[in-house]
């Protein structure tokens, strides 16, 4: 260990270095939990804790509560960094200082975010914590003041902090293992054995893996009829119970699990990964809103059929890899400027050649295809509450409202306003 770390100035230097390198708040608490250093001197405080000491007190209580269980390195000579995410999605890194430093205490990095927060995400968090939605804007402003560090940079900050304090290297694997030392879920062997015995006695066994593989194979090949036949072969008793307290929650969990598997199967079947994931998001969000078991059962089956249909339609198009790549890029970047030259760059082809190839395979020019897909996206946006027609036109890169109306009518036969009125 480096000699200068035995002095307070050494710890202050490390804190300042981490702060300047990652632009993330850094605090040093002594062994009694008193604040010795904070960078910046005053941090953005979450609305639920109006005083500066609020969040620090919460984190200090958490880390000192873990004190006897904090992981050490293989030799047991130094503590390892501990990664912590709060219920409000704030990320922290905590490192207890070695006792031989004399100064002791803990260095805390954070709060930071893994990704920028949207208004919808903040609103859902407020709902999860039973907080009034009238404070969404206040919370949104708070989150906008926090630095955003990707998972990788978050891990690297922890590794750097450890190396500076201890003068030793640490791997990402060691870091992650150190932060997953919570107590495992406990279950009594007698209860587990009783459940197994009861299910065998009544022949209520889980479904055979082969049945599951066969069902999702039909999604891979886009065979909805085969999917329905396979799904009908599952008995109600063959499904596991994924919630002890709620049959509805259990059904929802099962449905989400099957949609996750269907997403992978659809991608294996050649469906654009972004389309597959978007379908998954849509169906899972829909299922979460349902209030009764029959509705969940119907929604689950509809979701599986939707994946099979999309794979079937994708296979029928018989597009070359180049056309498929361009279509996928257009789908993913609908809200950006899209040009033939950009698509040619993505495909690695001459723009003129790409234009000819795309029109030959799709029966429509690149520009017309982009227009058509933007109108399809506009139709989906029009059905959403609170989204104005002028906002849709701007977001989808139409020059003005009148041009948007003209193009919309070209592909739908009605104006955007008429389309909304008919919904």
């Amino acid at each position: 260990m480096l000699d200068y770390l035995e002095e307070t100035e050494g710890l202050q230097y490390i804190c300042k270095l981490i702060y300047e390198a990652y632009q993330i708040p850094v605090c040093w608490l002594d062994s009694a939990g008193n604040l010795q250093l904070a960078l910046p001197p005053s941090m953005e405080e979450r609305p639920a804790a109006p005083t500066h000491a609020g969040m620090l007190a919460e984190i200090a209580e958490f880390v000192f509560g873990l004190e006897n269980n904090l992981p050490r390195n293989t030799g047991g000579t130094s503590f390892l960094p501990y990664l912590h995410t709060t219920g409000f999605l704030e990320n922290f890194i905590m490192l207890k200082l070695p006792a031989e430093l004399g100064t002791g205490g803990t260095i805390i990095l954070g709060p930071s975010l893994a990704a920028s927060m949207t208004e919808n995400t903040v609103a859902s968090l407020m709902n999860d914590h039973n907080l009034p939605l009238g404070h969404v804007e206040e919370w949104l402003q708070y989150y906008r003041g926090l630095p955003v560090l990707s998972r990788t940079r978050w891990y690297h900050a922890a590794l750097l902090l450890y190396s500076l304090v201890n003068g030793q290297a640490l791997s990402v694997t060691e870091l992650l293992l150190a932060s997953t030392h919570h107590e495992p879920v406990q279950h009594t062997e007698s209860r587990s054995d009783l459940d197994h015995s009861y299910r065998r006695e009544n022949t209520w066994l889980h479904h055979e893996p082969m049945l599951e593989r066969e069902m999702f194979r039909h999604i891979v090949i886009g065979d909805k009829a085969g999917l329905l036949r396979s799904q009908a072969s599952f008995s109600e008793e063959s499904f596991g119970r994924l919630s002890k307290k709620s049959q509805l929650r259990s059904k929802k969990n099962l449905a989400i699990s099957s949609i996750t598997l269907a997403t992978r199967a659809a991608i294996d079947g050649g469906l654009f990964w972004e389309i597959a994931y978007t379908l998954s998001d849509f169906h899972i969000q829909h299922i979460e809103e349902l209030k009764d078991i029959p509705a969940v059962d119907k929604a689950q089956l509809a979701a599986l059929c939707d994946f099979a249909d999309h794979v079937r339609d994708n296979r029928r198009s018989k597009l070359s890899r180049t056309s498929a790549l361009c279509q996928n890029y257009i789908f993913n970047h609908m809200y950006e400027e899209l040009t033939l030259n950009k698509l040619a760059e993505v495909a690695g082809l001459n723009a003129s050649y790409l234009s000819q190839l795309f029109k030959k395979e799709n029966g429509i020019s690149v520009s017309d295809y982009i227009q058509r897909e933007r109108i399809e996206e506009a139709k989906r946006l029009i059905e959403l509450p609170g989204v104005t027609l002028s906002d849709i036109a701007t977001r989808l890169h139409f020059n003005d409202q009148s041009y948007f109306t003209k193009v919309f009518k070209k592909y739908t036969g009605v104006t955007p306003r008429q389309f909304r009125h008919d919904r």
Side-chain angles (χ1 to χ4, degrees):
M1 190 174 300
L2 299 179
D3 292 339
Y4 66 80
L5 290 179
E6 297 177 0
E7 302 296 332
T8 299
E9 290 79 3
L11 290 176
Q12 291 176 341
Y13 172 78
I14 289 174
C15 292
K16 184 177 180 182
L17 188 64
I18 295 287
Y19 172 66
E20 292 181 347
Y22 289 92
Q23 291 297 298
I24 181 175
V26 181
C27 293
W28 169 27
L29 305 179
D30 64 21
S31 56
N34 299 314
L35 181 64
Q36 295 296 316
L37 177 68
L39 298 172
S42 61
M43 291 187 292
E44 188 73 23
E45 193 59 69
R46 69 160 72 126
T51 65
H52 176 66
M55 188 184 302
L56 275 181
E58 175 187 322
I59 296 302
E61 181 180 355
F62 176 84
V63 70
F64 291 122
L66 290 173
E67 190 163 355
N68 294 328
N69 296 311
L70 285 173
R72 291 177 177 265
N73 62 5
T74 305
T77 58
S78 60
F79 291 97
L80 298 180
Y82 188 83
L83 305 176
H84 175 62
T85 300
T86 71
F88 291 98
L89 302 186
E90 301 138 327
N91 289 331
F92 290 89
I93 299 167
M94 295 166 277
L95 180 65
K96 184 173 174 57
L97 299 172
E100 53 266 34
L101 285 183
T103 52
T106 304
I107 292 180
I108 301 173
L109 312 186
S112 66
L113 299 173
S116 298
M117 301 285 278
T118 66
E119 185 174 348
N120 287 338
T121 304
V122 174
S124 65
L125 275 175
M126 299 297 95
N127 185 60
D128 291 341
H129 290 276
N130 296 316
L131 296 174
L133 293 180
H135 294 294
V136 167
E137 184 59 34
E138 185 180 358
W139 276 87
L140 192 57
Q141 289 300 320
Y142 161 68
Y143 282 123
R144 285 171 178 165
L146 299 184
V148 177
L149 266 68
S150 67
R151 287 286 170 185
T152 300
R153 294 196 71 219
W154 189 41
Y155 298 155
H156 286 171
L159 298 179
L160 177 60
L161 176 62
Y162 177 84
S163 296
L164 289 172
V165 169
N166 296 284
Q168 301 171 358
L170 184 69
S171 70
V172 172
T173 301
E174 291 172 311
L175 171 69
L176 296 182
L177 287 175
S179 290
T180 56
H181 72 285
H182 299 293
E183 289 294 321
V185 176
Q186 298 294 323
H187 67 274
T188 60
E189 289 297 327
S190 59
R191 178 61 189 173
S192 178
D193 290 342
L194 181 62
D195 287 344
H196 294 163
S197 174
Y198 188 74
R199 291 184 70 88
R200 289 198 302 274
E201 180 183 358
N202 292 277
T203 64
W204 289 353
L205 305 178
H206 287 85
H207 62 268
E208 295 181 8
M210 186 61 70
L211 289 176
E212 180 181 285
R213 285 195 291 269
E214 178 66 13
M215 184 173 76
F216 289 104
R217 183 183 69 82
H218 291 299
I219 293 180
V220 173
I221 63 176
D223 179 11
K224 182 165 68 175
L227 167 68
L228 293 172
R229 288 193 299 271
S230 292
Q231 200 275 342
S233 67
F234 282 79
S235 63
E236 183 68 23
E237 293 83 6
S238 69
F239 297 116
R241 184 74 184 269
L242 300 187
S243 174
K244 290 183 178 180
K245 297 182 179 180
S246 168
Q247 185 63 24
L248 176 60
R249 184 67 260 169
S250 180
K251 279 286 188 178
K252 287 184 177 183
N253 290 344
L254 284 167
I256 291 169
S257 299
S258 67
I259 290 172
T260 300
L261 293 173
T263 304
R264 303 298 186 272
I267 293 173
D268 289 343
L271 190 63
F272 302 150
W273 56 266
E274 184 62 29
I275 293 178
Y277 289 136
T278 301
L279 278 177
S280 173
D281 292 347
F282 168 78
H283 286 295
I284 290 175
Q285 290 168 9
H286 172 62
I287 283 171
E288 282 291 352
E289 297 297 320
L290 300 177
K291 305 297 183 184
D292 61 79
I293 291 174
V296 172
D297 288 337
K298 291 179 181 178
Q300 176 185 355
L301 186 57
L304 298 182
C305 290
D306 199 10
F307 279 107
D309 285 342
H310 272 78
V311 172
R312 178 203 62 204
D313 294 342
N314 186 61
R315 284 174 167 245
R316 283 178 178 175
S317 65
K318 296 180 180 179
L319 296 176
S320 68
R321 180 183 177 281
T322 298
S323 282
L325 180 65
C326 289
Q327 287 190 7
N328 194 36
Y329 185 86
I330 291 169
F331 182 86
N332 293 341
H333 299 267
M334 185 70 63
Y335 292 87
E336 302 171 20
E337 286 287 353
L338 290 168
T339 64
L340 176 60
N341 286 335
K342 181 60 180 178
L343 289 175
E345 179 184 336
V346 170
L349 296 174
N350 174 272
S352 178
Y353 176 73
L354 175 62
S355 178
Q356 296 174 20
L357 176 65
F358 191 94
K359 186 168 185 178
K360 178 180 178 181
E361 293 190 351
N362 295 275
I364 186 174
S365 69
V366 170
S367 59
D368 286 344
Y369 180 86
I370 293 172
Q371 268 194 354
R372 188 184 71 185
E373 291 304 299
R374 280 183 165 152
I375 294 304
E376 287 301 311
E377 185 71 5
K379 287 162 62 177
R380 287 187 282 270
L381 293 175
I382 286 174
E383 296 181 352
L384 299 177
V387 184
T388 67
L389 297 180
S390 60
D391 183 42
I392 294 172
T394 300
R395 291 171 63 183
L396 292 175
H397 294 272
F398 289 97
N399 295 333
D400 52 50
Q401 183 71 42
S402 61
Y403 180 62
F404 171 55
T405 300
K406 178 182 177 181
V407 177
F408 192 95
K409 189 170 184 178
K410 170 185 173 183
Y411 287 101
T412 66
V414 296
T415 67
R417 199 171 302 280
Q418 290 170 329
F419 183 86
R420 168 168 281 175
H421 182 266
D422 294 338
R423 293 299 95 188

